[in-house]
Amino acid sequence: MVAAVEYVFPRCRGKLVWAHTVLSAMSINGSVSHSIPLSSGAACFFGCHLASRGRPRIGLAIPLQQALGLRSSELRGLTKGDVLLPEQRIGLGDSHSIMFRLGARVGTKSKREQYALLDQREFPHLAHVLRMLIEGLTDTELLFPFSADIYRKAFRRIQELLNLPVVY
């Protein structure tokens, strides 16, 4: 940003001393951490491990988040009432996808309500387990009632147990 300002406004070149000082301090203290996007296979693998270790909802959350491309806060904010099964959407188009309403109560990063679709033909195992989960919930009950910290720690714990040096 500083370089852009100096390029557009040549009079500022060399006069943004404080901005350059902050940037140089950030480069000294800031470390770059690289991560790898989580593939669907790895997400299912992690999910199975978590479910087998007594964490079935987190085990479902990881592959579902990966399949839908959601932020963890969007995923953790979903309730049963936010899930619309194909048989409930008569006349609303695609009859093979489960619809997830995002940001209904708190908003999303884009500051408006959005939705995500899970194609049951592409992810039959996720659709089946999701249906089993929502059967026993009330409309206002969270699908994934855990904090971001618990979610992150469970994910890291599985990486450690599997001795994976990769950072997802």
Side-chain angles (χ1 to χ4, degrees):
M1 179 61 95
V2 173
V5 168
E6 290 179 338
Y7 178 77
V8 174
F9 302 106
R11 289 181 291 154
C12 294
R13 199 170 289 141
K15 295 181 182 173
L16 301 172
V17 179
W18 181 80
H20 282 285
T21 304
V22 169
L23 287 173
S24 65
M26 286 176 62
S27 67
I28 292 169
N29 295 329
S31 62
V32 176
S33 100
H34 298 283
S35 59
I36 297 172
L38 187 64
S39 68
S40 60
C44 285
F45 183 65
F46 280 27
C48 287
H49 271 282
L50 283 162
S52 71
R53 296 186 187 294
R55 305 300 299 264
R57 285 203 191 181
I58 296 178
L60 173 60
I62 290 174
L64 186 63
Q65 180 183 1
Q66 192 279 334
L68 295 173
L70 300 180
R71 294 175 184 87
S72 85
S73 60
E74 292 170 337
L75 179 82
R76 290 179 295 102
L78 290 172
T79 65
K80 178 183 177 179
D82 297 329
V83 179
L84 197 58
L85 299 172
E87 56 270 17
Q88 298 169 319
R89 292 191 352 249
I90 298 171
L92 293 178
D94 182 7
S95 63
H96 299 288
S97 294
I98 299 173
M99 182 183 287
F100 296 84
R101 196 172 87 180
L102 308 174
R105 287 160 304 287
V106 294
T108 61
K109 190 173 183 179
S110 67
K111 306 294 186 233
R112 61 185 171 83
E113 196 171 316
Q114 298 175 318
Y115 70 92
L117 297 174
L118 180 72
D119 189 332
Q120 295 182 107
R121 296 168 297 184
E122 189 176 346
F123 300 101
H125 55 290
L126 286 177
H128 176 71
V129 175
L130 181 68
R131 284 174 180 274
M132 288 174 30
L133 172 62
I134 63 176
E135 276 180 8
L137 300 178
T138 65
D139 280 353
T140 58
E141 200 171 347
L142 290 173
L143 297 181
F144 305 107
F146 42 79
S147 68
D149 192 47
I150 289 172
Y151 191 45
R152 192 174 25 258
K153 284 179 181 176
F155 192 88
R156 293 270 190 266
R157 179 74 180 127
I158 287 297
Q159 281 187 274
E160 290 168 6
L161 285 172
L162 298 172
N163 199 24
L164 293 176
V166 177
V167 178
Y168 288 103

